[in-house]
Each structure stands twice: as C-alpha cells, then as structure tokens.
Amino acid sequence: MIGMGSASAMGSAQTAINIVTYLGATCLTIVAIGFAIALYQEWKIVREYKRRKQDCKFFESLADISHKYR
C-alpha cells in the first residue's frame, strides 16, 4: 500500500483523521464536563436531603422528651 497513493491524497486523509479526532475529543470533553456538573448537582441534592433528615431527627427527639423535663 506504500507508494500507491499520491502525496495530496495522503495529506487529505491525514487532515480528515485530524478533524475526526478533534471532533471526538471535543465531544468526549463536553460529555465529561456535563457528567461532572450533573454529579455535583446530585451531590448538592443529597447533602440538602441529609441535612433536612438530620434536622427532622433532632426535632423528633425533642418531641420524645417527657413532660416532667420540659
């Protein structure tokens, strides 16, 4: 296969490979950034849920105190 194509054809093929590689890398980067943003948003939601759950447990524990200690 070496020597079968012209220099311009090899240059065009290399340019096409570079463009496809660039587009693939760009798409992969966008997906990775989107995943990181979604993961951060999910972490914030879970953190808020845990905080509210902890607050509920605290107030429920106050409701369990017998009347003579109030």
Coordinates of all heavy atoms in Angstrom, one line a residue:
M1 N 0.8 -1.2 0.0 CA 0.0 0.0 0.0 C 0.9 1.2 0.0 O 0.4 2.3 -0.4 CB -0.9 0.0 1.2 CG -1.9 1.1 1.3 SD -3.5 0.3 1.3 CE -4.5 1.8 1.4
I2 N 2.1 1.1 0.4 CA 3.0 2.3 0.4 C 3.3 2.6 -1.1 O 3.7 1.7 -1.8 CB 4.3 1.9 1.2 CG1 3.9 1.7 2.6 CG2 5.3 3.1 1.0 CD1 5.1 1.3 3.5
G3 N 3.2 3.9 -1.4 CA 3.5 4.3 -2.7 C 2.4 4.2 -3.7 O 2.5 4.6 -4.8
M4 N 1.2 3.7 -3.2 CA 0.1 3.6 -4.1 C -0.7 4.9 -4.3 O -1.4 5.1 -5.3 CB -0.8 2.5 -3.6 CG -0.2 1.2 -3.4 SD -0.4 0.0 -4.8 CE -2.1 0.0 -5.1
G5 N -0.7 5.8 -3.3 CA -1.4 7.0 -3.4 C -0.5 8.2 -3.6 O 0.7 8.1 -3.4
S6 N -1.2 9.3 -4.0 CA -0.4 10.5 -4.2 C -0.2 11.2 -2.9 O -0.8 10.9 -1.9 CB -1.1 11.4 -5.2 OG -2.3 11.9 -4.6
A7 N 0.7 12.1 -2.9 CA 1.0 12.9 -1.6 C -0.2 13.7 -1.2 O -0.5 13.9 0.0 CB 2.2 13.8 -1.9
S8 N -0.9 14.3 -2.1 CA -2.1 15.1 -1.8 C -3.2 14.2 -1.2 O -3.9 14.7 -0.3 CB -2.6 15.9 -3.0 OG -3.1 15.0 -4.0
A9 N -3.3 13.0 -1.7 CA -4.4 12.1 -1.1 C -4.0 11.7 0.3 O -4.8 11.6 1.2 CB -4.5 10.8 -2.0
M10 N -2.7 11.5 0.6 CA -2.3 11.2 1.9 C -2.5 12.4 2.9 O -2.8 12.2 4.0 CB -0.8 10.7 1.9 CG -0.6 9.4 1.2 SD -1.5 8.0 2.0 CE -0.4 7.7 3.3
G11 N -2.2 13.5 2.3 CA -2.4 14.8 3.1 C -3.9 15.0 3.5 O -4.2 15.3 4.6
S12 N -4.7 14.7 2.5 CA -6.2 14.8 2.7 C -6.7 13.8 3.7 O -7.5 14.1 4.6 CB -6.9 14.6 1.4 OG -6.6 15.7 0.5
A13 N -6.1 12.6 3.7 CA -6.5 11.6 4.6 C -6.1 11.9 6.0 O -6.8 11.8 7.0 CB -5.9 10.2 4.2
Q14 N -4.9 12.5 6.1 CA -4.4 12.9 7.5 C -5.2 14.0 8.0 O -5.5 14.1 9.2 CB -2.9 13.3 7.3 CG -2.2 13.6 8.7 CD -2.2 12.3 9.5 OE1 -1.9 11.2 9.1 NE2 -2.5 12.5 10.8
T15 N -5.6 15.0 7.1 CA -6.4 16.1 7.6 C -7.8 15.6 8.0 O -8.3 16.0 9.1 CB -6.6 17.1 6.4 OG1 -5.3 17.5 6.0 CG2 -7.5 18.3 6.9
A16 N -8.4 14.6 7.3 CA -9.7 14.0 7.7 C -9.5 13.3 9.1 O -10.4 13.5 9.9 CB -10.2 13.1 6.7
I17 N -8.4 12.6 9.3 CA -8.2 11.9 10.5 C -8.1 12.9 11.7 O -8.7 12.7 12.8 CB -7.0 11.0 10.4 CG1 -7.3 9.8 9.5 CG2 -6.5 10.5 11.8 CD1 -6.0 9.0 9.2
N18 N -7.4 14.0 11.4 CA -7.2 15.0 12.5 C -8.5 15.7 12.8 O -8.8 15.9 14.0 CB -6.2 16.1 12.0 CG -4.8 15.6 12.0 OD1 -4.5 14.6 12.6 ND2 -4.0 16.3 11.2
I19 N -9.4 15.9 11.8 CA -10.7 16.5 12.1 C -11.6 15.6 12.9 O -12.2 16.0 13.9 CB -11.4 17.0 10.8 CG1 -10.6 18.1 10.1 CG2 -12.8 17.3 11.0 CD1 -11.1 18.5 8.7
V20 N -11.6 14.3 12.5 CA -12.5 13.4 13.2 C -11.9 13.2 14.6 O -12.7 13.1 15.6 CB -12.5 12.0 12.5 CG1 -13.1 10.9 13.3 CG2 -13.2 12.2 11.1
T21 N -10.6 13.1 14.8 CA -10.1 13.0 16.2 C -10.4 14.2 17.0 O -10.8 14.1 18.2 CB -8.5 12.8 16.1 OG1 -8.3 11.7 15.3 CG2 -7.9 12.6 17.4
Y22 N -10.3 15.4 16.4 CA -10.6 16.6 17.2 C -12.1 16.7 17.6 O -12.4 17.0 18.7 CB -10.3 17.9 16.3 CG -10.7 19.2 16.9 CD1 -10.0 19.7 17.9 CD2 -11.9 19.8 16.4 CE1 -10.4 20.9 18.5 CE2 -12.3 21.0 17.0 CZ -11.6 21.6 18.0 OH -12.0 22.7 18.6
L23 N -13.0 16.3 16.7 CA -14.4 16.3 17.0 C -14.7 15.2 18.1 O -15.5 15.5 19.0 CB -15.2 16.0 15.7 CG -15.3 17.1 14.7 CD1 -16.0 16.6 13.4 CD2 -15.9 18.3 15.2
G24 N -14.1 14.1 18.0 CA -14.3 13.1 19.0 C -13.8 13.5 20.4 O -14.5 13.3 21.4
A25 N -12.6 14.1 20.4 CA -12.1 14.6 21.7 C -13.0 15.8 22.2 O -13.2 15.8 23.5 CB -10.7 15.1 21.5
T26 N -13.5 16.6 21.4 CA -14.4 17.7 21.8 C -15.7 17.1 22.4 O -16.1 17.5 23.5 CB -14.7 18.6 20.6 OG1 -13.5 19.1 20.1 CG2 -15.6 19.8 21.1
C27 N -16.3 16.1 21.7 CA -17.5 15.5 22.3 C -17.2 14.8 23.6 O -18.0 14.9 24.5 CB -18.0 14.5 21.2 SG -18.7 15.3 19.8
L28 N -16.1 14.1 23.7 CA -15.8 13.5 24.9 C -15.6 14.5 26.1 O -16.0 14.2 27.2 CB -14.5 12.6 24.7 CG -14.1 11.7 25.9 CD1 -15.2 10.7 26.3 CD2 -12.8 11.0 25.6
T29 N -15.0 15.6 25.8 CA -14.7 16.6 26.8 C -16.1 17.2 27.2 O -16.3 17.4 28.4 CB -13.8 17.7 26.2 OG1 -12.6 17.1 25.8 CG2 -13.6 18.8 27.3
I30 N -17.0 17.5 26.3 CA -18.3 18.0 26.6 C -19.1 17.0 27.5 O -19.7 17.4 28.5 CB -19.1 18.4 25.4 CG1 -18.4 19.6 24.7 CG2 -20.5 18.7 25.6 CD1 -18.9 19.9 23.3
V31 N -19.0 15.8 27.2 CA -19.7 14.8 27.9 C -19.2 14.7 29.3 O -19.9 14.6 30.3 CB -19.7 13.4 27.2 CG1 -20.2 12.3 28.1 CG2 -20.6 13.4 26.0
A32 N -17.8 14.7 29.5 CA -17.2 14.6 30.8 C -17.5 15.8 31.6 O -17.8 15.7 32.8 CB -15.7 14.5 30.6
I33 N -17.6 17.0 31.0 CA -17.9 18.2 31.8 C -19.4 18.1 32.2 O -19.7 18.5 33.4 CB -17.6 19.5 31.0 CG1 -16.1 19.7 30.8 CG2 -18.3 20.7 31.6 CD1 -15.7 20.7 29.9
G34 N -20.3 17.7 31.3 CA -21.7 17.5 31.7 C -21.9 16.5 32.8 O -22.7 16.7 33.7
F35 N -21.1 15.4 32.7 CA -21.2 14.4 33.8 C -20.8 15.0 35.1 O -21.4 14.8 36.2 CB -20.4 13.2 33.4 CG -20.5 12.1 34.4 CD1 -21.6 11.3 34.6 CD2 -19.4 11.9 35.3 CE1 -21.7 10.3 35.5 CE2 -19.4 10.9 36.2 CZ -20.6 10.1 36.3
A36 N -19.7 15.8 35.1 CA -19.2 16.4 36.4 C -20.2 17.4 36.9 O -20.4 17.4 38.1 CB -17.9 17.0 36.1
I37 N -20.8 18.1 36.1 CA -21.8 19.1 36.5 C -23.0 18.4 37.1 O -23.6 18.7 38.2 CB -22.3 20.0 35.4 CG1 -21.1 21.0 35.0 CG2 -23.5 20.8 35.8 CD1 -21.3 21.8 33.8
A38 N -23.5 17.3 36.5 CA -24.6 16.5 37.0 C -24.3 15.9 38.3 O -25.1 15.8 39.2 CB -25.1 15.5 35.9
L39 N -23.1 15.3 38.4 CA -22.7 14.7 39.7 C -22.6 15.7 40.8 O -23.1 15.4 41.9 CB -21.3 14.1 39.5 CG -20.8 13.1 40.5 CD1 -21.7 11.9 40.6 CD2 -19.4 12.7 40.2
Y40 N -22.2 16.9 40.5 CA -22.1 18.0 41.5 C -23.5 18.4 42.0 O -23.8 18.5 43.1 CB -21.4 19.2 41.0 CG -21.4 20.4 41.9 CD1 -20.7 20.4 43.1 CD2 -22.1 21.5 41.6 CE1 -20.7 21.4 44.0 CE2 -22.2 22.6 42.5 CZ -21.5 22.6 43.6 OH -21.5 23.6 44.5
Q41 N -24.5 18.5 41.0 CA -25.8 18.8 41.3 C -26.5 17.8 42.2 O -27.2 18.1 43.1 CB -26.7 19.0 40.0 CG -26.2 20.2 39.2 CD -26.5 21.5 39.9 OE1 -27.5 21.7 40.6 NE2 -25.7 22.5 39.6
E42 N -26.2 16.5 41.8 CA -26.7 15.4 42.6 C -26.2 15.4 44.0 O -26.9 15.2 45.0 CB -26.4 14.1 41.9 CG -27.0 12.9 42.6 CD -28.6 12.8 42.4 OE1 -29.1 13.5 41.5 OE2 -29.2 12.1 43.3
W43 N -24.9 15.7 44.2 CA -24.2 15.8 45.5 C -24.9 16.9 46.3 O -25.1 16.7 47.5 CB -22.7 16.1 45.3 CG -22.0 16.3 46.6 CD1 -21.7 15.4 47.5 CD2 -21.6 17.6 47.1 NE1 -21.0 16.0 48.5 CE2 -21.0 17.3 48.3 CE3 -21.7 18.9 46.6 CZ2 -20.4 18.3 49.1 CZ3 -21.1 19.9 47.4 CH2 -20.5 19.6 48.6
K44 N -25.2 18.0 45.7 CA -25.9 19.1 46.5 C -27.2 18.7 46.9 O -27.6 19.0 48.1 CB -26.0 20.4 45.6 CG -24.7 21.1 45.4 CD -24.8 22.4 44.7 CE -26.0 22.8 44.0 NZ -26.0 24.1 43.3
I45 N -28.0 17.9 46.1 CA -29.3 17.5 46.5 C -29.2 16.5 47.6 O -30.0 16.6 48.6 CB -30.0 16.9 45.3 CG1 -30.4 18.0 44.3 CG2 -31.3 16.1 45.7 CD1 -30.9 17.4 42.9
V46 N -28.3 15.6 47.6 CA -28.1 14.6 48.6 C -27.7 15.2 49.9 O -28.2 14.9 51.0 CB -27.1 13.5 48.2 CG1 -26.8 12.6 49.3 CG2 -27.7 12.6 47.1
R47 N -26.8 16.2 49.8 CA -26.4 16.9 51.0 C -27.5 17.7 51.7 O -27.7 17.6 52.9 CB -25.3 17.9 50.6 CG -24.6 18.6 51.8 CD -23.6 19.5 51.4 NE -24.2 20.6 50.6 CZ -23.5 21.7 50.2 NH1 -22.2 21.8 50.4 NH2 -24.1 22.6 49.5
E48 N -28.4 18.3 50.9 CA -29.5 19.0 51.4 C -30.5 18.0 52.1 O -31.1 18.3 53.1 CB -30.2 19.8 50.3 CG -31.4 20.6 50.8 CD -31.1 21.7 51.8 OE1 -30.0 22.1 51.8 OE2 -32.1 22.1 52.5
Y49 N -30.7 16.9 51.4 CA -31.6 15.9 51.9 C -31.1 15.4 53.3 O -31.9 15.2 54.3 CB -31.8 14.7 51.0 CG -32.5 13.5 51.5 CD1 -33.9 13.5 51.6 CD2 -31.8 12.4 52.0 CE1 -34.6 12.5 52.2 CE2 -32.5 11.3 52.5 CZ -33.9 11.3 52.6 OH -34.5 10.3 53.1
K50 N -29.8 15.1 53.4 CA -29.3 14.6 54.6 C -29.4 15.6 55.7 O -29.6 15.3 56.9 CB -27.8 14.2 54.5 CG -27.6 12.9 53.7 CD -26.2 12.5 53.6 CE -26.0 11.2 52.9 NZ -24.6 10.8 52.8
R51 N -29.2 16.9 55.4 CA -29.3 18.0 56.4 C -30.7 18.1 56.9 O -31.0 18.2 58.1 CB -28.9 19.3 55.8 CG -28.8 20.4 56.8 CD -28.6 21.8 56.2 NE -29.7 22.2 55.3 CZ -30.9 22.7 55.7 NH1 -31.1 22.7 57.0 NH2 -31.8 23.0 54.8
R52 N -31.7 18.0 56.0 CA -33.1 18.1 56.4 C -33.5 16.9 57.3 O -34.2 17.0 58.2 CB -34.0 18.2 55.2 CG -34.0 19.5 54.6 CD -35.0 19.6 53.5 NE -34.9 21.0 52.9 CZ -35.7 21.3 51.9 NH1 -36.6 20.5 51.5 NH2 -35.6 22.5 51.4
K53 N -33.0 15.7 56.9 CA -33.3 14.5 57.6 C -32.7 14.6 59.1 O -33.3 14.2 60.0 CB -32.7 13.3 56.9 CG -33.1 12.0 57.5 CD -32.5 10.8 56.6 CE -32.8 9.5 57.2 NZ -32.1 8.4 56.5
Q54 N -31.5 15.1 59.2 CA -30.9 15.3 60.5 C -31.7 16.3 61.3 O -31.8 16.1 62.5 CB -29.4 15.8 60.3 CG -28.6 15.8 61.6 CD -28.4 14.4 62.1 OE1 -28.3 13.4 61.3 NE2 -28.2 14.3 63.4
D55 N -32.2 17.4 60.7 CA -33.0 18.4 61.4 C -34.3 17.7 61.9 O -34.7 17.9 63.0 CB -33.3 19.5 60.5 CG -32.1 20.5 60.3 OD1 -31.1 20.3 61.0 OD2 -32.2 21.3 59.4
C56 N -34.9 16.9 61.1 CA -36.1 16.2 61.5 C -35.8 15.3 62.7 O -36.6 15.2 63.6 CB -36.7 15.4 60.3 SG -37.5 16.4 59.1
K57 N -34.7 14.5 62.6 CA -34.4 13.7 63.8 C -34.2 14.5 65.0 O -34.6 14.1 66.1 CB -33.1 12.9 63.5 CG -33.3 11.8 62.5 CD -32.0 11.0 62.3 CE -32.2 9.9 61.3 NZ -30.9 9.1 61.1
F58 N -33.6 15.6 64.9 CA -33.4 16.5 66.1 C -34.7 16.9 66.7 O -34.9 16.8 67.9 CB -32.5 17.7 65.7 CG -32.4 18.7 66.8 CD1 -31.6 18.4 67.9 CD2 -33.0 19.9 66.8 CE1 -31.4 19.3 69.0 CE2 -32.9 20.8 67.8 CZ -32.1 20.5 68.9
F59 N -35.6 17.4 65.9 CA -36.9 17.9 66.4 C -37.7 16.8 66.9 O -38.5 16.9 67.8 CB -37.6 18.8 65.3 CG -36.9 20.1 65.1 CD1 -36.3 20.4 63.9 CD2 -36.8 21.0 66.1 CE1 -35.7 21.6 63.7 CE2 -36.1 22.2 66.0 CZ -35.6 22.5 64.7
E60 N -37.6 15.6 66.2 CA -38.4 14.4 66.7 C -37.9 14.0 68.1 O -38.6 13.6 69.0 CB -38.3 13.3 65.7 CG -39.1 13.5 64.5 CD -38.9 12.4 63.5 OE1 -38.1 11.5 63.7 OE2 -39.6 12.4 62.4
S61 N -36.6 14.1 68.3 CA -36.0 13.8 69.6 C -36.5 14.7 70.7 O -36.7 14.4 71.8 CB -34.5 13.7 69.6 OG -34.0 15.0 69.4
L62 N -36.7 16.0 70.3 CA -37.2 16.9 71.3 C -38.7 16.6 71.6 O -39.1 16.8 72.8 CB -37.2 18.4 70.7 CG -35.8 19.0 70.6 CD1 -35.9 20.4 70.0 CD2 -35.1 19.1 71.9
A63 N -39.4 16.1 70.7 CA -40.8 15.7 70.9 C -40.9 14.5 71.9 O -42.0 14.3 72.5 CB -41.5 15.4 69.6
D64 N -39.9 13.7 71.9 CA -39.9 12.5 72.8 C -39.6 12.8 74.2 O -39.7 11.8 75.0 CB -38.9 11.4 72.2 CG -39.4 10.9 70.9 OD1 -40.6 11.0 70.6 OD2 -38.5 10.4 70.1
I65 N -39.2 14.0 74.6 CA -38.9 14.3 76.0 C -40.2 14.2 76.8 O -41.2 14.8 76.4 CB -38.2 15.7 76.1 CG1 -36.9 15.6 75.3 CG2 -38.0 16.1 77.5 CD1 -36.2 17.0 75.2
S66 N -40.1 13.6 77.9 CA -41.3 13.5 78.7 C -41.7 14.9 79.3 O -40.8 15.8 79.4 CB -41.1 12.5 79.9 OG -40.0 13.0 80.7
H67 N -42.9 15.0 79.8 CA -43.4 16.3 80.2 C -42.7 16.8 81.4 O -42.6 18.0 81.7 CB -44.9 16.2 80.4 CG -45.6 16.1 79.1 ND1 -45.8 17.0 78.2 CD2 -46.3 15.0 78.6 CE1 -46.5 16.6 77.2 NE2 -46.8 15.3 77.4
K68 N -42.2 16.0 82.3 CA -41.6 16.5 83.6 C -40.3 17.1 83.3 O -39.8 17.9 84.2 CB -41.5 15.4 84.6 CG -40.5 14.3 84.3 CD -40.4 13.3 85.4 CE -39.3 12.3 85.2 NZ -39.2 11.4 86.2
Y69 N -39.7 16.9 82.2 CA -38.4 17.5 81.9 C -38.5 18.8 81.1 O -37.6 19.5 80.9 CB -37.4 16.6 81.1 CG -37.0 15.4 81.9 CD1 -37.4 14.1 81.6 CD2 -36.2 15.6 83.1 CE1 -37.0 13.0 82.3 CE2 -35.8 14.5 83.8 CZ -36.3 13.2 83.5 OH -35.9 12.1 84.2
R70 N -39.7 19.1 80.6 CA -39.9 20.4 79.8 C -40.0 21.6 80.7 O -40.5 21.7 81.7 CB -41.2 20.2 79.0 CG -41.0 19.3 77.8 CD -42.1 19.3 76.9 NE -41.9 18.3 75.9 CZ -42.8 18.1 74.9 NH1 -43.9 18.7 74.9 NH2 -42.5 17.2 74.0

